[in-house]
Amino acid sequence: MKQHRVVILGGGFGGLRVALELEKRCARMGGCDIALIDRRGEHLYTPLLYEVATGFLEAEGPDCRGELRGGVCINLEQFRTIVGPKHITFHRGEVTGVDVASKSVLLGNGDKISYDDLVIALGSETAFYGIPGLEEHAYPFKHLGHAFKLRDKLHACLEAYRQGKDNKIEIVVGGAGATGTEFAAELAHYLHGLERASHINTGDWSIRLVDALPNILMNFSDPLRALALKRLASLGVTVATDTKVKSATDKILVVERQGKEETWNADVIVWCGGIKPANVLEALVIPKGPKGHVDVDEMFAVRGVENIYALGDCSQIAIFGGFAPALAQAATQEARALAENVVRHVENRSQIAWVAPKQWHSLLPMGGKYAIGQLGPIRVSGVLGYLARKVVDLNYWKSVLPMRFALKVWTRGAMTYMKND
């Protein structure tokens, strides 16, 4: 008997969780076949990506890189062996299109994968907003490859300083959201460690955190934002808000603030200033919103097209007069509701609208064994926040892996990244 086939595009937080949730519900569909397609072949835990970019920068070599990646990602090709799902198969490939008429996904190698239901979870890309020179000269910070390229550049800067080729290291981080703020704090903490070890002189490095908005961490509460600013100041990070990036060259960043242009020296420009829907969506002939997001209703169904759903950063689902945030916790919660609606569709039952939480948990590492966060009514900071973040990391791995493997990945990452702390 033909099994119901669900094809999922993207192995990130939303895509992988949809696959696991459908696996649990497979019997309700009278059997199912779940195909997970991803171009990179690994599931990346992006909240720890800053650890890869700043991890023991003075070391190099394949062993070092292997240690750094071991705590943030799992190989999707080995996922079936590790988890033992009966109905999930993985396909590595580049999605080039969707043929709605024949209900099939087109891959770059010419393969066609048919579907009964399709789930689009292709995530997002870095947005450069057409700023001259920024895409060519700044280091984006979205994927594992980005983190390693940025780490290599920082390592090269430290090596040039050590050899006396440069007498100062100047770094600008564009975008004072969670990603840019935690990266700036962690890097500053690391450089302070080099100062204590007499590997770099005090005053020979600088980190500027810049944002066009009037405050950093606009999605955080005022008390948490104040804690973050205090921590950044203690680490020597200069914060420049209400400051627009105008252009970039190899070692120069031009900004505008208070109506005047300023020219900043920048050995490294790190860009965390925004995201946009994944570029591959442009090739998919499906309804999209004005900014390129897949147009979905409150059940995650793509408007005007049958049997196609979307979630996560590549779509926008309306909540509380706005849209769901681009957070891992949002994507995983969306995934549960979407999977249930796919099954209800097969069962010929009415689908349900997603009810989003009114408050999202937030935990932000701020360099070393220090983090700030809000867990429901409880505000945490310092070492307590750091420990809470470690628990959150472990809980995530437990949610996608058997306990033995979750502990292995979490322990490997914790032991590696603590070398910076």
Side-chain angles (χ1 to χ4, degrees):
M1 184 174 65
K2 180 180 180 294
Q3 292 188 329
H4 191 85
R5 185 168 222 204
V6 183
V7 174
I8 303 168
L9 309 183
F13 290 107
L16 182 61
R17 184 56 59 92
V18 169
L20 293 171
E21 293 292 333
L22 287 172
E23 171 87 10
K24 296 175 187 176
R25 296 165 171 80
C26 195
R28 288 171 52 189
M29 293 186 281
C32 64
D33 176 16
I34 305 162
L36 181 63
I37 302 173
D38 189 274
R39 62 174 175 163
R40 292 188 177 85
E42 57 197 8
H43 174 70
L44 177 65
Y45 185 60
T46 53
L48 288 178
L49 202 56
Y50 74 97
E51 296 276 23
V52 177
T54 59
F56 34 101
L57 287 168
E58 293 182 293
E60 58 183 336
D63 291 342
C64 168
R65 296 172 81 91
E67 283 187 65
L68 289 168
R69 74 181 297 137
V72 295
C73 63
I74 52 174
N75 189 309
L76 286 171
E77 291 176 341
Q78 297 172 353
F79 185 75
R80 185 180 179 90
T81 302
I82 295 172
V83 179
K86 297 178 181 178
H87 308 284
I88 301 173
T89 56
F90 170 68
H91 303 263
R92 183 169 185 175
E94 188 87 30
V95 176
T96 57
V98 172
D99 188 332
V100 175
S102 65
K103 296 176 73 173
S104 58
V105 175
L106 313 177
L107 300 183
N109 62 1
D111 287 351
K112 273 189 175 184
I113 299 180
S114 61
Y115 65 84
D116 294 306
D117 281 306
L118 176 66
V119 178
I120 301 173
L122 289 168
S124 57
E125 305 283 350
T126 302
F128 295 96
Y129 305 111
I131 298 171
L134 192 62
E135 187 170 0
E136 294 81 4
H137 299 290
Y139 286 78
F141 198 39
K142 197 80 175 65
H143 306 301
L144 189 59
H146 292 161
F148 278 124
K149 285 182 181 179
L150 174 55
R151 183 183 178 277
D152 289 344
K153 177 62 175 179
L154 293 170
H155 175 86
C157 287
L158 287 170
E159 186 64 16
Y161 176 86
R162 187 186 67 81
Q163 295 177 4
K165 296 177 181 178
D166 288 327
N167 57 16
K168 193 169 184 180
I169 301 171
E170 297 175 292
I171 298 159
V172 178
V173 181
T179 302
T181 301
E182 67 189 15
F183 172 78
E186 184 66 23
L187 181 58
H189 178 268
Y190 182 83
L191 292 173
H192 276 296
L194 293 185
E195 282 184 3
R196 290 190 295 271
S198 300
H199 293 162
I200 190 170
N201 295 326
T202 302
D204 282 358
W205 62 271
S206 68
I207 298 176
R208 282 172 161 162
L209 179 62
V210 57
D211 202 293
L213 296 175
N215 286 302
I216 70 169
L217 300 172
M218 292 295 288
N219 293 328
F220 282 59
S221 66
D222 288 340
L224 286 179
R225 192 179 301 122
L227 285 172
L229 285 168
K230 183 178 179 180
R231 174 64 173 174
L232 289 169
S234 72
L235 291 169
V237 176
T238 301
V239 176
T241 52
D242 273 325
T243 303
K244 296 181 180 179
V245 174
K246 304 296 289 183
S247 65
T249 61
D250 184 29
K251 288 199 171 187
I252 296 292
L253 191 71
V254 178
V255 303
E256 179 186 320
R257 58 176 174 173
Q258 298 179 345
K260 297 180 180 179
E261 283 196 355
E262 297 180 12
T263 300
W264 295 351
N265 293 327
D267 297 295
V268 186
I269 303 169
V270 184
W271 186 247
C272 312
I275 58 174
K276 63 177 183 176
N279 293 331
V280 65
L281 290 177
E282 297 174 5
L284 307 188
V285 186
I286 53 175
K288 303 183 188 74
K291 294 185 178 180
H293 297 86
V294 181
D295 188 15
V296 298
D297 62 21
E298 64 272 20
M299 276 77 73
F300 302 100
V302 178
R303 298 182 193 275
V305 183
E306 294 184 352
N307 304 99
I308 303 182
Y309 302 80
L311 79 163
D313 293 357
C314 71
S315 67
Q316 283 188 328
I317 185 165
I319 58 169
F320 314 130
F323 298 102
L327 298 173
Q329 60 183 301
T332 55
Q333 290 189 29
E334 291 173 24
R336 296 187 188 98
L338 189 154
E340 178 63 23
N341 279 337
V342 169
V343 176
R344 282 173 171 257
H345 175 68
V346 175
E347 294 174 329
N348 202 25
R349 295 169 59 198
S350 60
Q351 299 185 343
I352 55 175
W354 179 51
V355 179
K358 291 187 177 180
Q359 185 177 36
W360 302 94
H361 297 317
S362 54
L363 277 167
L364 187 70
M366 293 292 296
K369 293 184 175 66
Y370 188 104
I372 61 173
Q374 190 82 36
L375 300 172
I378 302 172
R379 188 178 304 134
V380 293
S381 63
V383 175
L384 185 59
Y386 171 83
L387 294 175
R389 173 58 186 267
K390 291 299 180 186
V391 171
V392 168
D393 295 341
L394 176 58
N395 284 339
Y396 178 75
W397 288 120
K398 283 165 54 182
S399 74
V400 297
L401 295 171
M403 176 60 84
R404 180 165 64 94
F405 288 98
L407 280 171
K408 181 179 179 181
V409 174
W410 179 81
T411 302
R412 182 169 55 202
M415 297 302 293
T416 298
Y417 307 140
M418 279 175 61
K419 295 177 182 179
N420 266 12
D421 298 336

